[in-house]
Amino acid sequence: MIQPLPLNELEQVLDLAGPDLSTFREARIFLTGGTGFFGRWLIESWDFANTHLQLRGELHILSRNPEKFLSACPHLNGLEGVHFHPGDQASFNFPGGDFDFVVHGAVMHGSPHQTFLSNVEGVRHVLAFAQAARASRFLMISSGAVYGTQPLGLDRLPEAYLGGSDPLEASSAYGLMKSASEFLCGEATRSGGPACVIARPFAFVGPGLPLDR
C-alpha cells in the first residue's frame, strides 16, 4: 500500500506555488500519467491546494485501471473534485465538456519499438483531445533524456543544449520518443491548437520514490 505524502511536503508546495495554483480556480484539468510517482505528487498537491485555497476545481485523471490504483492508494479515493476515466493514452474515449488545461505525463514502457511508437501515438491522441476540449494550454511532461548522454566535460545541461539521443541505439528509444512528442506539441501550437508548454524533469529523489530507483 502506498502511503500519503508527508504533510510538511504538501505545505511546502503551497508555500512555494500558492499564487500560481490560485490561477486554477474553478478550472477543469485533464491529467494523463497520474498513477505513477510524478503523477501521484501532482494529484496530492492539487488536492491539497484545491482544499486549502478553495479552488473549487476539477481534476480528471486517465488510468488504465483506476480500481487497481485506488486499492493501492486508498487515501486518494473519494477526493472532492477528482474523477477517474478508464482508458489508454492512445485510444481513450474523450470525456464530455470543455477543459481548461491538459497535462500529459503518461508513459508506456515495453520494447524499444513499443516504447517509441505507443507513446508517440499517445501524445498525438491526447493532443487531439485537448483541441476537441478547447483547452487553452497543454503541459507536456517530457524528460532530460532528450539531451542524450551528458558529455564528461559538461557539469550542467542548459536548456539550450542541442545534444540528443543516438537514433541507432535501442537504449535511446525513450529519449527519442520524448523528442518526437515535443515536436508534435510544437506542431499542434503552430497549427492553432492549445499553447503547449514543455517541462523536462529528471533526477528525482523524495517521498514515494524507492531509493533503488
Side-chain angles (χ1 to χ4, degrees), residues 2 31-43 59 61-73 76 83-87 105-107 208 213:
I2 298 173
L31 169 67
T32 76
T35 57
F37 164 71
F38 202 92
R40 291 197 307 272
W41 268 87
L42 291 177
I43 294 172
L59 181 64
I61 303 161
L62 180 70
S63 172
R64 286 190 294 266
N65 193 334
E67 292 78 14
K68 180 179 179 181
F69 172 69
L70 291 172
S71 67
C73 302
L76 298 180
H83 310 277
F84 283 85
H85 295 272
V107 176
R213 293 282 297 278

Side-chain angles (χ1 to χ4, degrees), residues 102-147:
V102 174
V103 180
H104 181 50
V107 176
M108 195 286 292
H109 293 284
S111 69
H113 184 266
Q114 290 173 323
T115 297
F116 184 86
L117 290 181
S118 296
N119 290 295
V120 170
E121 180 59 24
V123 72
R124 187 203 64 79
H125 192 66
V126 179
L127 281 167
F129 161 70
Q131 185 149 9
R134 298 196 291 186
S136 61
R137 289 170 74 81
F138 182 102
L139 172 60
M140 172 68 201
I141 301 178
S142 184
S143 169
V146 301
Y147 298 119

Side-chain angles (χ1 to χ4, degrees), residues 29-103:
I29 305 169
F30 190 81
L31 169 67
T32 76
T35 57
F37 164 71
F38 202 92
R40 291 197 307 272
W41 268 87
L42 291 177
I43 294 172
E44 295 195 47
S45 299
W46 181 88
D47 175 66
F48 194 76
N50 196 40
T51 300
H52 288 77
L53 300 178
Q54 299 180 340
L55 300 180
R56 299 184 298 278
E58 295 180 15
L59 181 64
H60 296 252
I61 303 161
L62 180 70
S63 172
R64 286 190 294 266
N65 193 334
E67 292 78 14
K68 180 179 179 181
F69 172 69
L70 291 172
S71 67
C73 302
H75 61 286
L76 298 180
N77 201 356
L79 298 179
E80 184 177 357
V82 175
H83 310 277
F84 283 85
H85 295 272
D88 180 83
Q89 60 168 326
S91 59
F92 68 92
N93 294 322
F94 295 173
D98 291 348
F99 282 80
D100 299 286
F101 309 104
V102 174
V103 180

